[in-house]
Amino acid sequence: MTTPDEMSPVSRTALAVARVRAHESRRPDPLFVDPYAAGFAEAAGMPLTAPGGVRLSSLVAGLVVHITLRTRFYDDRLRAAGAEQVVLLAAGLDTRAYRLDWPSGTRLWELDLPPVLDFKQQVLDAAGAEPACERGVLPGDLLDPGWPRRLVAAGFDPQRPTAWLAEGLVVYLSAEQAAGLLTAVGSLSAPGSRLLMERGRDVSLTPYDPALAHVIELWQGGLGPDTDQWLNARGWQTRTTSLADCGADCGRPLPEGVGLDSGFIEAVRR
């Protein structure tokens, strides 16, 4: 049995994301419901209830809001994309293949490292989960330049429009690694394809928080604040949505002092 101890430090951050999604799913007014998120946290031995009296720092609270709103934003934009091909880059413990209503004929691929995908499959199998689309799993490293060839060999058609999701990924890459990954995505994207990802920012400005030091030290920043400009110069047309606007659209205004300036990019291949 694969355990979280076999995952890389970056991969283990998916467990904290699952925990946030589990908490949101249990609210009386959830922005989304992920019926499998709690199972991931429980399988990893992560309590779903925080110790009484614990006050979250502004940065931790900001990340919780960010994860919650981005989940809803990407849910909505993936459904609206209308693409018959969907690719989740560094899919982690994402369960959109199971919990979203996909049009008939949708093919979805999940790419991530083997220990993550193995752990996820164990939990999903134990829950008796059945995908709502044609789901393909492609174990491997996105820093390996051979992943596009392997994706095509698995049945992906680069001549058809695709919806790409890079959720919570690029911040863990260097500028060079991010450019290489996004260049590969562009080479596989037919006109009309869509790419969803976080808006870049300068991670060096992130305030120190001992509760998050183990995560912040993994952030490399990707392409930074110029991510949208980089994409616009390379065949994409981008639209950016701030976290505040996303919260307003969802009827979930941001609390005061959430401690994180973030947002989301939706890019369309020209």
Side-chain angles (χ1 to χ4, degrees):
M1 175 177 287
T2 302
T3 68
D5 292 339
E6 299 173 55
M7 299 181 192
S8 71
V10 172
S11 294
R12 284 197 293 273
T13 63
L15 293 166
V17 173
R19 189 182 181 196
V20 171
R21 289 178 174 163
H23 276 292
E24 178 65 23
S25 299
R26 293 181 173 187
R27 285 177 58 120
D29 59 342
L31 294 183
F32 58 84
V33 175
D34 185 342
Y36 309 105
F40 296 131
E42 291 166 359
M46 298 177 67
L48 288 178
T49 55
V54 172
R55 179 182 177 85
L56 300 181
S57 69
S58 62
L59 185 57
V60 172
L63 280 174
V64 169
V65 171
H66 171 83
I67 291 168
T68 301
L69 289 177
R70 83 178 182 195
T71 300
R72 172 60 181 269
F73 180 83
Y74 292 150
D75 281 1
D76 290 346
R77 300 319 300 157
L78 284 171
R79 282 183 288 214
E84 294 182 354
Q85 296 186 136
V86 179
V87 180
L88 309 182
L89 300 166
L93 301 178
D94 187 302
T95 62
R96 289 183 173 92
Y98 296 83
R99 65 179 183 80
L100 295 186
D101 293 327
W102 297 102
S104 177
T106 301
R107 301 188 71 185
L108 181 149
W109 286 269
E110 297 182 11
L111 282 63
D112 213 320
L113 297 171
V116 184
L117 295 174
D118 289 346
F119 173 77
K120 174 158 72 172
Q121 198 61 54
Q122 290 168 184
V123 175
L124 292 172
D125 287 347
E130 294 290 341
C133 59
E134 184 179 343
R135 174 179 178 251
V137 175
L138 194 66
D141 191 338
L142 288 170
L143 299 183
D144 177 354
W147 74 261
R149 172 184 49 78
R150 295 178 56 236
L151 180 60
V152 172
F156 175 84
D157 184 356
Q159 302 304 314
R160 296 167 60 192
T162 302
W164 300 87
L165 177 60
E167 182 176 18
L169 166 61
V170 178
V171 70
Y172 294 102
L173 304 180
S174 68
E176 180 181 4
Q177 291 169 338
L181 175 66
L182 295 177
T183 297
V185 169
S187 72
L188 294 170
S189 297
S193 294
R194 294 177 183 268
L195 168 64
L196 299 165
M197 59 184 294
E198 278 85 81
R199 183 185 73 193
R201 56 192 176 83
D202 185 349
V203 297
S204 69
L205 301 178
T206 305
Y208 177 75
D209 187 327
L212 284 175
H214 63 293
V215 174
I216 295 172
E217 67 185 10
L218 300 172
W219 292 351
Q220 299 188 57
L223 296 170
D226 297 329
T227 301
D228 56 345
Q229 297 177 37
W230 189 97
L231 291 167
N232 286 332
R234 289 164 177 81
W236 299 89
Q237 181 175 351
T238 62
R239 181 177 66 179
T240 301
T241 302
S242 70
L243 191 68
D245 286 345
C246 182
D249 291 343
C250 294
R252 187 77 66 82
L254 301 190
E256 290 292 329
V258 293
L260 186 68
D261 177 26
S262 59
F264 314 105
I265 290 175
E266 181 178 13
V268 180
R269 191 68 171 169
R270 296 195 295 265

